[in-house]
């Protein structure tokens, strides 16, 4: 039987956005295997009701759990903000990690090293903004920080269509953030995993703002937690000091990509999110 620590880590999002988190996970945990699921048939999650987001998140998670995973990363702010407790309860004792708390850590850190009085502007989906998840997570870490929220419903579609560099995209980004550029120093927190593809464009629209997202902090949290749980690949074997297993440390992990619709588009556009070409994408039904 396969060691639990050698099973893949499951990662899901409503679409390709979670690939920005997967990219950070690849960097932090290069030896791990991953199964990534993009629920492209039902995207966007960010305009759906709470009940629907929980149902979709549970179905996506179930599909990954059925393939055998050692941990689950909810690489979607909308699902993390709304469905994380339900997923943790339903799939216990499987470790389930979200992106909202790590995103809040990144924003608070950026604000703390910026000018005094720097506020945080959360740019996210409608559901994430109305859930108040980021407001709660940031206030818990730094109650003094002023927080603004802005729903950016068009951004997910623009990102998913691969329109990262279009002039119309820049106009929409500029329109949505313009009001905050007058409010004094601020950190823009990309509270949707689709949005990091716009980091460059946002920096060009305003060279004075700081833009952060949850990808790197999520990967750091996941790496730390899996280490504590002794769930890193080969970690159990390494403790037994088996030579073969030590040699296998050098091996690069594999990633399996699943999508519920549009596998060809996923493969073609996914590279913008992952920062490298994608392997084959398998079509699945939830
Ligand atoms: N990428 C997802 C998030 O982080 C949501 C996009 C959507 O489906 O609306 O919120």
């Amino acid at each position: 039987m396969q060691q639990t620590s050698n099973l893949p880590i499951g990662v899901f999002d409503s679409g390709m956005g979670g690939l920005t988190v997967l990219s950070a996970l690849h960097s932090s945990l290069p030896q791990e295997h991953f199964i990534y699921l993009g629920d492209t048939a039902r995207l966007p999650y960010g305009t759906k009701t709470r009940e629907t987001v929980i149902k979709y998140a549970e179905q996506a998670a179930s599909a990954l759990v059925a393939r055998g995973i050692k941990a689950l990363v909810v690489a979607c702010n909308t699902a993390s903000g709304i469905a994380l407790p339900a997923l943790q309860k339903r799939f216990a004792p499987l470790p389930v990690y979200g992106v909202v708390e790590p995103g809040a850590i990144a924003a608070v850190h950026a604000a703390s090293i910026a000018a005094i009085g720097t506020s945080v502007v959360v740019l996210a989906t409608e559901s994430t903004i109305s859930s108040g998840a980021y407001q709660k997570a940031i206030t818990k870490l730094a109650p003094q920080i002023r927080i603004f929220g802005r729903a950016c419903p068009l951004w997910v579609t623009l990102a998913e269509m691969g329109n990262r560099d279009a002039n119309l995209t820049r106009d929409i980004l500029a329109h949505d953030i313009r009001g905050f550029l007058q409010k004094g120093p601020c950190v823009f927190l990309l509270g949707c995993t689709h949005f990091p593809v716009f980091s460059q464009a946002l920096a060009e629209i305003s060279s004075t703002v700081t833009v952060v997202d949850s990808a790197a902090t999520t990967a750091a949290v996941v790496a730390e937690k899996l280490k504590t749980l002794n769930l890193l690949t080969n970690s159990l074997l390494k403790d037994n000091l088996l030579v073969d297993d030590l040699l296998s440390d050098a091996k690069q992990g594999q990633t399996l990509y699943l999508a519920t619709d549009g596998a060809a588009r996923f493969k073609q556009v996914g590279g913008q999110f992952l920062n490298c070409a994608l392997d084959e994408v398998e079509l699945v039904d939830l």
Side-chain angles (χ1 to χ4, degrees):
M1 211 178 108
Q2 198 178 2
Q3 293 263 0
T4 304
S5 59
N6 289 335
L7 289 173
I9 298 168
V11 182
F12 82 89
D13 177 41
S14 60
M16 298 181 220
L19 293 173
T20 57
V21 178
L22 182 68
S23 172
L25 287 164
H26 280 162
S27 300
S28 296
L29 298 165
Q31 293 154 35
E32 296 295 335
H33 303 299
F34 294 93
I35 309 180
Y36 181 92
L37 169 64
D39 190 8
T40 38
R42 305 190 293 190
L43 170 125
Y45 282 9
T47 53
K48 306 286 190 301
T49 60
R50 189 182 164 75
E51 292 70 29
T52 301
V53 171
I54 293 175
K55 183 170 83 181
Y56 286 1
E58 286 188 342
Q59 289 171 345
S62 295
L64 291 168
V65 169
R67 287 183 180 242
I69 53 172
K70 63 181 174 186
L72 177 68
V73 179
V74 183
C76 172
N77 289 268
T78 308
S80 296
I82 293 173
L84 193 64
L87 294 174
Q88 287 170 330
K89 191 169 166 210
R90 170 146 175 203
F91 296 102
L94 183 79
V96 181
Y97 307 113
V99 288
V100 170
E101 278 184 23
I105 292 170
V108 169
H109 174 70
S112 74
I113 57 173
I116 291 171
T118 293
S119 46
V120 173
V121 179
V122 182
L123 305 168
T125 66
E126 282 172 47
S127 304
T128 298
I129 296 298
S130 60
S131 75
Y134 266 114
Q135 284 82 341
K136 268 180 241 148
I138 294 169
T139 303
K140 201 168 150 194
L141 294 171
Q144 77 288 358
I145 291 186
R146 210 154 54 123
I147 307 158
F148 300 98
R150 167 88 192 189
C152 306
L154 295 177
W155 294 22
V156 174
T157 311
L158 292 168
E160 196 79 16
M161 298 297 289
N163 284 339
R164 180 183 61 179
D165 303 317
N167 287 338
L168 178 65
T169 302
R170 279 170 194 256
D171 290 346
I172 291 170
L173 300 181
H175 171 271
D176 285 348
I177 67 166
R178 192 177 301 134
F180 299 105
L181 300 176
Q182 270 53 283
K183 288 192 188 291
C186 62
V187 167
F188 283 109
L189 168 59
L190 305 181
C192 171
T193 55
H194 280 77
F195 295 176
V197 295
F198 302 129
S199 297
Q200 173 76 21
L202 290 167
E204 282 165 21
I205 291 165
S206 172
S207 55
T208 55
V209 297
T210 307
V211 180
V212 296
D213 63 62
S214 55
T217 38
T218 299
V221 167
V222 172
E224 188 54 43
K225 296 258 168 89
L226 292 186
K227 189 174 169 212
T228 307
L229 293 171
N230 216 11
L231 276 179
L232 292 176
T233 298
N234 292 319
S235 58
L236 292 174
L237 302 171
K238 221 175 355 180
D239 289 346
N240 293 337
L241 292 175
L242 295 177
V243 175
D244 281 351
D245 301 321
L246 286 173
L247 286 175
S248 71
D249 269 0
K251 280 188 198 149
Q252 193 78 16
Q254 305 287 312
T255 300
L256 173 65
Y257 297 94
L258 312 174
T260 53
D261 193 28
R265 177 201 292 280
F266 197 103
K267 188 173 174 201
Q268 188 202 337
V269 180
Q272 288 192 3
F273 294 82
L274 196 59
N275 283 325
C276 67
L278 259 79
D279 300 331
E280 284 315 304
V281 180
E282 184 185 324
L283 200 60
V284 293
D285 198 4
L286 302 184

